[in-house]
Amino acid sequence: MNLLNTKVKTKINKKRLGRGIGSGKGKTSGRGVKGQKSRSGVAIKSFEGGQMPLYRRLPKRGFNPINRSKVAKINLDQLQNFVDKKRVDTSSIINLESLKKNNIINKSYLKFKVLGNGNLTSKVDIEADFSSVSAKQKIEKLGGVIKIKNQK
């Protein structure tokens, strides 16, 4: 009988262990005799009966910092592409919030960096957390302004 598919609720009583020899689960309560697994409070986690455990079979790679912040990276040619498609408004400041609002950057990113790959043909004002030197030079050459947050 499959209990998951029955419409009528059925209640099966739990086996009561250690209730005398006549119950069939008395004395050692089905745990056998002696040994680590017969004691209470023992759970041998990730023990696979002597087989190499899964966490030791799989390779560990690199160092994973706990408090790494996700940084979105945008190249100038990508930015120009968005301007050409009118997904980015050049008259206002381009920042993380505006890029998230236009679904250019995923909402999980906390910071964003402008990189200098490609060419920019339109004047833009950008407020970013980080910027490469080449990106800054290309933006300022066109008369645009790039403001880096948390920088004096």
Side-chain angles (χ1 to χ4, degrees), residues 7-37:
K7 290 182 180 171
V8 181
K9 287 197 173 185
T10 57
K11 180 162 169 51
I12 297 170
N13 291 333
K14 191 179 149 192
K15 280 201 177 115
R16 298 184 70 215
L17 306 177
R19 294 297 188 278
I21 205 164
S23 69
K25 288 278 185 225
K27 193 181 166 227
T28 52
S29 307
R31 287 175 175 261
V33 186
K34 292 188 183 174
Q36 186 179 13
K37 289 197 268 185

Side-chain angles (χ1 to χ4, degrees), residues 87 95-105 107:
R87 285 185 67 189
N95 56 18
L96 186 65
E97 288 72 37
S98 66
L99 293 173
K100 280 182 183 179
K101 195 172 76 183
N102 294 331
N103 290 330
I104 293 168
I105 287 180
K107 288 179 172 50

Side-chain angles (χ1 to χ4, degrees), residues 103-152:
N103 290 330
I104 293 168
I105 287 180
N106 192 312
K107 288 179 172 50
S108 65
Y109 286 108
L110 303 172
K111 296 179 178 183
F112 102 98
K113 180 173 184 172
V114 182
L115 299 174
N117 194 11
N119 289 319
L120 192 65
T121 54
S122 52
K123 178 185 169 227
V124 289
D125 295 338
I126 299 175
E127 184 182 15
D129 295 287
F130 310 104
S131 167
S132 67
V133 176
S134 61
K136 190 172 184 182
Q137 288 171 348
K138 287 178 183 179
I139 291 166
E140 287 172 349
K141 194 167 94 175
L142 289 165
V145 177
I146 183 159
K147 182 179 178 249
I148 307 298
K149 289 187 207 168
N150 301 328
Q151 199 177 52
K152 293 167 179 105

